Amino acid sequence: MTDPAVALREILGPKGWLSGDDAEPFQRDWLDRYGLQPLGVARPASTAEMAAVVKACRQAGLAVVPQGGNTSLCGGAVAAQPNAVIVSLSRMTAIGEPDQESGSIAVDAGVVLAALHDALEPHGLMFPMHLGAEGSARIGGLIGTNAGGSQAFRYGMMQDLVLGLEVVMPDGAVWDGLRAVQKDNAGYQLRKLFCGSEGTLGIVARAILRLYPTPKQQASALLVMSDFAAAVSFGAFLRGEAGEFLTGLEFFSDVGLALALKHLPDLAYQLESRGDVYLLVELASGSTRVPLDDILASALEWGMEQRLVVDGALANSSAQRARFWRLREEQPEGQRLEGEQLKHDISVPPGAIARFIEAGAKICDNILPGVRINPFGHLGDGNIHYNLSPPEGRSDFNGKAGEFAEALAALATEMGGSFAAEHGLGRAKIAMADRNRAPIERDLMAQLKRAFDPQGTMNPGVLVRVRQ
Ligand SMILES: Cc1cc2nc3c(=O)[nH]c(=O)nc-3n(C[C@H](O)[C@H](O)[C@H](O)COP(=O)(O)OP(=O)(O)OC[C@H]3O[C@@H](n4cnc5c(N)ncnc54)[C@H](O)[C@@H]3O)c2cc1C
């Protein structure tokens, strides 16, 4: 029998097959918590090559691990066993011509999100997905995790932005679902099923994505809020006042701001006062006739009268707008540079954010007094990145990581929310899902997995536990 590595190298050629030291950059996950050395990394250059690789892996009984930009935070894109092949999308990066009339574009699954943004700019079109990792995350990975980001409350998550897909199935067959229509109810919504499937049902090779016209004007403001409850109330008011023009509603805390300013000296915070919590709000319109600045200014006035807003500034230039956004986007980096951290990706109904943060703080302080809580995220859809740093003077969590994760997951579940808002389950949260989701929900997922991948070779150990 041919050595599988030799067979894969024959399919892909030397550029398309990496092993040994060459495979090392693909081995560990973003947070350096998961990842064993795989048999090798396959880098197909086309759907046909990808299908041949998957078929050969199936025949050899090798696990297949799809990998995009490897920025996911739950360890789903790296190998957990030596007889695994990572299928990297890094050579499938073609971007088609945008279809102006249909508002869509066909892309390879290896296209980096920021490259798509750049390619669309000259056409006056945009793909409304923005997140801190957009310089590395790839379309296939974004689909695999059903990514959200800062505009999800306005334009939807990845599943709302994908019109059609081409997928290599676990046996190497290719499903051509590259249709460019939103309305397609000819059966189960297969394209949506792949969104958030974390590479366990097949590998997305190409996608048709939905586009929007680039806004012709934007109005942005950075606000200091009196507390989290004030941020929630102001957010609700702004949704009513600005309606569909509201495209950004992000929050971060003073703990996170202090860490970002400490570790990233080029960051600029230019408001006079500081508070416990900050809001970054943004309005956008495709028309220049909508008075966005006025809408935002009068909302601010109302917020100040109500003593919800303590201080604030409207961006008076695109450079200032970019400075405001950097304060929000560097929240993860500031905390990473501080040292040990624990990340929790929670969602609750937006109206319950302040209650979650208050109850969560009590729970965390009981587990480890003085633990530093750094909640930030997307106020518009109730998504809280509830991250922790050790108490001042400590460099660890005294072995309590699991206790924090379980307690916060239980609190989110109890409040009608989720412990896996936008990062998925990966390898990190399967056991947690077993504990927090009804058995029928887990069983349905396991049945689905078995139906698509009866031999269980497609990203085993990720998202769902399948008992044979
Ligand atoms: C600084 C930072 C900020 C972030 N902010 C956000 C945010 O605001 N919102 C958010 O949602 N996420 C965020 N993330 C998480 C991460 O960027 C997203 O989960 C992103 O979607 C991962 O894309 P990727 O290409 O890196 O995927 P990878 O990490 O490579 O893979 C993710 C999962 O998808 C699977 N997969 C990869 N490619 C394919 C494919 N072609 N077909 C099928 N499955 C595939 C993998 O097997 C894995 O299970 C952030 C991460 C970082 C580091």
Side-chain angles (χ1 to χ4, degrees), residues 30 66 68-72 76 138 140-142 145 147-149 198-199 204 422 459:
W30 184 272
N70 198 13
T71 67
S72 56
R138 297 177 189 270
L142 295 159
T145 57
E198 300 186 45
V204 175
E422 61 177 6
N459 220 1

Side-chain angles (χ1 to χ4, degrees), residues 95-215:
I95 301 179
E97 271 299 299
D99 180 339
Q100 290 273 3
E101 284 161 357
S102 308
S104 64
I105 189 165
V107 294
D108 280 0
V111 168
V112 171
L113 180 55
L116 177 61
H117 290 151
D118 291 348
L120 289 171
E121 205 184 320
H123 299 275
L125 291 166
M126 65 158 187
F127 181 61
M129 167 75 50
H130 287 279
L131 38 85
E134 64 192 38
S136 305
R138 297 177 189 270
I139 297 302
L142 295 159
I143 293 171
T145 57
N146 192 23
S150 57
Q151 297 192 336
F153 78 98
R154 166 70 177 82
Y155 296 101
M157 298 184 76
M158 210 57 192
Q159 62 175 358
D160 304 297
L161 300 171
V162 166
L163 294 172
L165 287 181
E166 180 178 76
V167 182
V168 173
M169 302 304 294
D171 63 356
V174 177
W175 171 53
D176 180 354
L178 279 174
R179 291 179 282 272
V181 288
Q182 191 187 357
K183 291 188 174 171
D184 179 9
N185 280 330
Y188 296 122
Q189 296 296 297
L190 292 179
R191 63 183 167 178
K192 297 220 175 198
L193 198 54
F194 285 103
C195 296
S197 65
E198 300 186 45
T200 60
L201 303 180
I203 312 183
V204 175
R206 298 181 70 213
I208 296 186
L209 304 175
R210 196 168 173 182
L211 302 178
Y212 286 82
T214 308

